[in-house]
Amino acid sequence: MKPQISELINSAKQLGDFSDAEKQEIFLTIKEAKARGLLRKQPDDRCLNKYINLANYLLRTQSAEEFTSALNQNLECLYVYVALVGLNCITTTA
């Protein structure tokens, strides 16, 4: 079961917080990647930005157990996930 956005926000608050500029950079990067067709269930590509690679990892593992584990361990993954949900790339139960 995918975590709800409210759960992710609470988790992010416990782990720390990025500056608004960093959160905006993540969102804009994922938005641009979607527009360019770079979001796919593909393995890491060293030519892509780290946020795009994280997004592709989440897309690839969204139905696997490691998906939730990644969200709980990595603050960047939380914000990438929120961007993916916000851009309708991943559906959520929220």
Side-chain angles (χ1 to χ4, degrees), residues 77-89:
C77 278
L78 287 173
Y79 286 116
V80 168
Y81 176 73
V82 170
L84 287 169
V85 170
L87 294 167
N88 295 316
C89 297

Side-chain angles (χ1 to χ4, degrees), residues 47-67:
C47 294
L48 295 176
N49 177 288
K50 68 179 179 177
Y51 302 131
I52 298 169
N53 279 323
L54 280 173
N56 287 333
Y57 173 78
L58 292 175
L59 290 169
R60 192 170 60 252
T61 63
Q62 66 183 327
S63 61
E65 196 171 297
E66 60 192 275
F67 177 82

Side-chain angles (χ1 to χ4, degrees), residues 16-84:
D17 199 7
F18 286 167
S19 71
D20 287 340
E22 286 173 297
K23 288 187 273 188
Q24 184 177 13
E25 177 66 23
I26 290 172
F27 183 81
L28 292 174
T29 299
I30 301 304
K31 182 178 179 181
E32 182 70 23
K34 180 182 179 185
R36 291 184 183 195
L38 297 173
L39 297 180
R40 297 184 289 282
K41 297 178 182 181
Q42 67 184 26
D44 283 357
D45 182 334
R46 65 179 136 167
C47 294
L48 295 176
N49 177 288
K50 68 179 179 177
Y51 302 131
I52 298 169
N53 279 323
L54 280 173
N56 287 333
Y57 173 78
L58 292 175
L59 290 169
R60 192 170 60 252
T61 63
Q62 66 183 327
S63 61
E65 196 171 297
E66 60 192 275
F67 177 82
T68 302
S69 175
L71 294 179
N72 290 330
Q73 293 178 11
N74 189 326
L75 186 58
E76 289 176 337
C77 278
L78 287 173
Y79 286 116
V80 168
Y81 176 73
V82 170
L84 287 169

